[in-house]
Amino acid sequence: MNAKKLIEENNRKRERLTPENEAYYSDLLIYIRLQFSLSEQKSEEVLMELLDHLLDGQQAGKTAKDIFGDDPRGFADEMIEHLPKEKKREFIPFIGGIIGNILGWVLIIRGVLFLVLSPFTDVDTMVHPISVMVIALIIAAFVIFTIVFIFKMVERSLFKEKRKTRRETMIAGFIGAAGMAAVLLLVKFLPESGPSFDFSWWASFLVGSVILFAMYVSKKVKGV
């Protein structure tokens, strides 16, 4: 059974857990899945074995703490040490997919805005490739930083009796807003340099649509 099927089966089986056992197991699951250096296939196989073991114990009247112990983080770290790391998850394609979606929507929105505004005002459709590449790198760095920060914050919040969910959500929102504001300021004051070419509204809309369609087809081919 491949990783995708294992995840689907895991989701179905978890519904049979008691609330207490589900909370314990879900923390284990998230913690292990956040280790992107591990083999996804092997990780999902181990998670399924743990879930089956927990379901068997639950039928016998045992809790997750009875089966796996009072130190779930330590137990998870021990499991991680024995999981193979040679087949790394596709973290770069994951980030690339997010950036591709952002780029596609930005180009489509740009095309629509230019189409709507052009009858009423002069619209500058000239594009400077060098400046665009610099802006793209800045946005990519911001996206990567934000994703890594959120993953680390989620990881730190696991295995706690009392979670400060509201506080963590506010911190994540503040970091995201502050980062986006910084990116917009950099974009605003970044000087335009190098050669330029005309990139009309329809070309922008077309390229954005092609990017999003390519991302959609890629997901379907991979079975995501």
Side-chain angles (χ1 to χ4, degrees):
M1 192 180 296
N2 60 32
K4 183 174 182 291
K5 294 293 185 182
L6 285 168
I7 291 171
E8 293 174 353
E9 183 69 12
N10 192 301
N11 291 338
R12 285 193 292 269
K13 286 187 175 181
R14 279 209 318 277
E15 295 177 357
R16 293 154 51 188
L17 293 173
T18 63
E20 179 186 358
N21 288 342
E22 201 279 333
Y24 187 108
Y25 178 79
S26 290
D27 279 359
L28 282 177
L29 180 145
I30 295 170
Y31 188 75
I32 291 175
R33 284 181 178 173
L34 284 176
Q35 312 306 312
F36 284 93
S37 63
L38 301 177
S39 164
E40 183 179 19
Q41 178 67 31
K42 294 299 182 182
S43 296
E44 293 303 327
E45 289 175 0
V46 167
L47 286 170
M48 182 61 71
E49 290 175 6
L50 294 176
L51 180 55
D52 288 337
H53 187 40
L54 178 56
L55 286 169
D56 290 340
Q58 182 175 280
Q59 287 185 333
K62 295 181 180 179
T63 66
K65 286 185 178 181
D66 295 332
I67 299 170
F68 302 126
D70 294 327
D71 182 17
R73 186 183 294 271
F75 175 75
D77 287 336
E78 185 178 345
M79 299 297 298
I80 289 169
E81 287 181 6
H82 294 88
L83 285 170
K85 297 179 175 60
E86 69 273 8
K87 294 181 180 179
K88 295 185 178 181
R89 298 188 188 184
E90 298 181 349
F91 187 66
I92 293 177
F94 170 69
I95 297 294
I98 293 176
I99 294 173
N101 275 288
I102 292 174
L103 177 61
W105 282 112
V106 166
L107 290 174
I108 288 176
I109 292 171
R110 175 186 182 273
V112 172
L113 285 176
F114 281 15
L115 173 63
V116 172
L117 294 175
S118 57
F120 307 103
T121 184
D122 292 331
V123 177
D124 184 10
T125 58
M126 299 302 292
V127 172
H128 296 75
I130 294 177
S131 298
V132 170
M133 288 179 63
V134 172
I135 292 171
L137 288 173
I138 292 172
I139 293 175
F142 166 69
V143 170
I144 293 171
F145 169 79
T146 303
I147 291 173
V148 171
F149 175 81
I150 291 174
F151 282 174
K152 290 296 182 183
M153 188 172 66
V154 170
E155 187 176 308
R156 287 194 299 268
S157 71
L158 298 173
F159 310 118
K160 293 182 179 179
E161 293 291 335
K162 294 182 179 180
R163 296 182 184 175
K164 300 177 180 179
T165 307
R166 185 176 179 182
R167 177 174 174 271
E168 291 165 352
T169 302
M170 290 178 64
I171 291 174
F174 174 77
I175 293 295
M180 182 56 68
V183 169
L184 291 175
L185 285 173
L186 285 171
V187 170
K188 180 176 178 60
F189 294 106
L190 184 70
E192 295 180 342
S193 58
S196 62
F197 64 91
D198 184 66
F199 195 44
S200 62
W201 73 265
W202 63 265
S204 181
F205 186 88
L206 178 62
V207 172
S209 299
V210 169
I211 291 174
L212 291 182
F213 180 73
M215 300 292 296
Y216 173 79
V217 171
S218 176
K219 287 183 178 180
K220 286 297 182 182
V221 170
K222 292 179 180 179
V224 177

